[in-house]
Amino acid sequence: HVQLVVSGGGSVQAGGSLKLSCLVPRDTWRRFPNLCLAWFRQTPGQEREGVAAISTLGRNTYYADTVKGRFTISRDNAGNTVYLQMGSLKPEDTAMYYCAADPVPKHGESWYNHRNYAYWGQGTQVTVS
């Protein structure tokens, strides 16, 4: 069982910033060199939606249109961690945020589908008021 560990989140005023971190087990990071990492979010009654994803070595990044220019996903391969830097936060960004990982590289819009990810972290609440 692979468990990703998420930290960060909290409450912030509109226009503010937050940074989420997701620690991937080192053996998982090493076992799957093409590990695709992503962030999703979900609000009550809604389907989990993709926020951002990053490919091996960070060569490719993907963003939902709603967060482009405001959020940045990055990965620290040495520290087996993926980050989501969120800026210019809006109330509509309020959600439970999840980290996800999958050994299969993603192309096109496949990154956006939560069903394409095998491993998940616990959610962390982000509230923007």
Side-chain angles (χ1 to χ4, degrees):
H1 179 68
V2 176
Q3 181 65 51
L4 313 181
V5 180
V6 178
S7 59
S11 298
V12 66
Q13 291 188 337
S17 300
L18 282 174
K19 187 174 184 178
L20 306 181
S21 301
C22 175
L23 180 66
V24 179
R26 185 166 294 278
D27 58 348
T28 302
W29 194 280
R30 291 176 175 174
R31 180 183 176 190
F32 301 115
N34 294 320
L35 199 65
C36 179
L37 300 165
W39 290 95
F40 286 78
R41 65 186 182 187
Q42 189 171 23
T43 54
Q46 299 298 314
E47 190 168 3
R48 198 166 292 189
E49 64 170 0
V51 175
I54 189 166
S55 65
T56 308
L57 302 178
R59 289 172 181 163
N60 296 305
T61 55
Y62 307 91
Y63 294 94
D65 289 342
T66 52
V67 305
K68 279 181 182 176
R70 301 188 298 120
F71 291 11
T72 302
I73 188 170
S74 61
R75 62 192 286 164
D76 174 9
N77 289 327
N80 47 289
T81 302
V82 60
Y83 303 98
L84 184 68
Q85 178 68 52
M86 304 183 291
S88 301
L89 283 162
K90 305 175 181 180
E92 49 264 45
D93 294 318
T94 295
M96 188 72 75
Y97 282 71
Y98 298 88
C99 175
D102 193 80
V104 178
K106 304 291 179 278
H107 304 284
E109 294 301 313
S110 63
W111 77 268
Y112 193 79
N113 191 334
H114 63 88
R115 298 175 183 84
N116 293 333
Y117 291 82
Y119 311 128
W120 290 87
Q122 84 282 11
T124 186
Q125 180 67 36
V126 172
T127 302
V128 185
S129 59

